[in-house]
Amino acid sequence: MFPLSLHRDFSLRDLNTFGVAATAHAYLPVSDIDVLRAVRNDAALNALPRLVLGGGSNVLLTRDFPGLVLHMRNSGIEITGSDDDATYVRAAAGENWHRLVSWTLQQGLGGLENLSLIPGSVGAAPIQNIGAYGVEIKDCLHSLSIYDFIDDRVLTLSNADCAFGYRDSIFKHAWRNRAVILDVTLALPRLWRPRISYADVAKALAASGLSDPTPADISALVIAIRSAKLPDPAVIGNAGSFFKNPIVTAQQQHTLQRRFPEMVSYAQADGSVKLAAGWLIDQCGWKGKNLGAAGVYPQQALVLVNRGGASGAEIVALARAIQADVQQRFDVLLEPEPVFV
């Protein structure tokens, strides 16, 4: 017998930060692992296509979903231990990411401050290997627990097991459609140093006059920077940065730099070069432009927005038009960050 909290023909408009109207054939909030096991053991539910949803900040719903949406709603944050190097904090997958960051800062723990105000849930963060201002979750993730739908078991994966890459992890590949992240354990450094390699953060710190900033100070600066550049999803629908910053060879970067001397780029440890996707889009004239009810945010070309009533198809059309223009002008293919559903 399936759980009583199962809903049919459920609206997902309020469960995705783009605010796109879409309906799920079936919807089930997940408060604990027993709910996941009930789904697995129900033949009809287990046969449906599955979509695991957290904060809805990294998905673009392009149509109604014909299967079962599992909405992670488990909660809880706790310090589980410490050693000479780190304090360990475990958070449930259904927790809000920024709430977790704020909680660690209230405990006097640094390490997550550069990731302040990133929308979404804790469970979704490792899937995308979220990052901002020189820090990624892989830098502080110790381990996580998953439920394996195929073998009906709970596993603990280490940082190395997650095979993290730039906005990438094993959950987009080998564990895709099989694993559900239950909780995440972070190792926050006992010896903390501010991470201010990004120009925006360094500039804001210099302007603040703080000579010995705390983790909370850095968080406040990051929140101010993000608030000035990025729209609040509660006010205007968006999924944050829509495109990944493309990574090219040093030779390709050199060729482009000769043609476009003002081009923004960042050398990588492996010899490749990361380009600023927002700069490329801006150079193609898209900042502030609309295509139907979908548009590009005037303050940050990397952000696509729902101007009001945009469908997933309209946002996809805008993204495709931007990709085509950037590829034609720079011979660089932009890859979307959100998952298209």
Side-chain angles (χ1 to χ4, degrees), residues 4-333:
L4 296 178
S5 51
L6 183 76
H7 303 271
R8 301 286 185 177
D9 299 321
F10 190 84
S11 173
L12 301 175
R13 183 196 294 272
D14 294 333
L15 299 183
N16 71 101
T17 59
F18 258 121
V20 168
T23 299
H25 170 68
Y27 165 87
L28 185 63
V30 177
S31 56
D32 54 46
I33 193 172
D34 291 339
V35 177
L36 298 176
R37 286 202 163 106
V39 170
R40 183 186 184 276
N41 294 330
D42 185 285
L45 288 181
N46 199 29
L48 292 173
R50 277 193 306 270
L51 171 64
V52 180
L53 199 61
S57 61
N58 197 48
V59 295
L60 175 57
L61 303 173
T62 63
R63 61 187 178 96
D64 291 340
F65 186 67
L68 171 65
V69 169
L70 296 173
H71 189 198
M72 300 304 293
R73 306 297 292 164
N74 58 335
S75 61
I77 305 173
E78 61 179 338
I79 293 175
T80 59
S82 64
D83 55 30
D84 291 342
D85 298 320
T87 299
Y88 299 93
V89 175
R90 181 168 59 214
E95 284 285 351
N96 175 270
W97 173 261
H98 182 65
R99 179 177 180 273
L100 169 61
V101 174
S102 299
W103 188 92
T104 62
L105 293 171
Q106 290 165 7
Q107 312 308 309
L109 301 173
L112 302 183
E113 58 282 341
N114 290 46
L115 304 178
S116 296
L117 212 61
I118 293 179
S121 66
V122 169
I127 298 173
Q128 183 73 355
N129 185 23
I130 61 169
Y133 304 110
V135 176
E136 294 176 318
I137 192 175
K138 73 175 180 61
D139 300 329
C140 55
L141 186 135
H142 176 264
S143 61
L144 50 78
S145 298
I146 63 170
Y147 175 66
D148 177 358
F149 253 103
I150 302 299
D151 293 335
D152 186 25
R153 56 180 179 165
V154 175
L155 298 176
T156 298
L157 303 187
S158 69
N159 187 307
D161 293 333
C162 295
F164 288 122
Y166 174 54
R167 302 296 177 269
D168 196 25
S169 71
I170 197 170
F171 304 105
K172 291 187 174 183
H173 306 285
W175 284 107
R176 181 180 175 88
N177 297 326
R178 174 170 179 169
V180 177
I181 295 176
L182 302 173
D183 58 59
V184 170
T185 298
L186 304 169
L188 303 182
R190 298 290 294 272
L191 182 60
W192 176 83
R193 293 186 180 90
R195 302 283 291 272
I196 55 173
S197 60
Y198 262 58
D200 284 349
V201 179
K203 187 184 301 181
L205 181 59
S208 73
L210 295 168
S211 58
D212 188 22
T214 66
D217 291 331
I218 298 298
S219 174
L221 295 176
V222 168
I223 289 172
I225 294 167
R226 291 184 68 90
S227 298
K229 286 187 173 184
L230 305 174
D232 182 349
V235 177
I236 181 168
N238 74 95
S241 298
F242 193 88
F243 294 103
K244 298 179 183 180
N245 288 320
I247 296 176
V248 300
T249 64
Q251 179 58 46
Q252 187 175 2
Q253 186 270 344
H254 181 68
T255 300
L256 285 169
Q257 200 83 55
R258 283 187 299 177
R259 292 176 55 202
F260 308 98
E262 302 301 317
M263 186 181 70
V264 181
S265 62
Y266 308 94
Q268 303 298 292
D270 62 359
S272 63
V273 182
K274 183 184 292 184
L275 306 182
W279 187 89
L280 300 175
I281 296 167
D282 194 9
Q283 295 304 301
C284 292
W286 278 102
K287 184 185 283 187
K289 296 292 183 63
N290 298 329
L291 194 62
V296 180
Y297 193 56
Q299 279 72 48
Q300 172 53 269
L302 200 52
V303 178
L304 305 192
V305 297
N306 181 352
R307 296 289 185 192
S311 66
E314 284 182 293
I315 297 169
V316 170
L318 174 61
R320 299 298 187 224
I322 291 170
Q323 285 176 305
D325 279 2
V326 169
Q327 186 157 32
Q328 181 177 27
R329 184 167 187 185
F330 298 101
D331 194 26
V332 171
L333 177 62

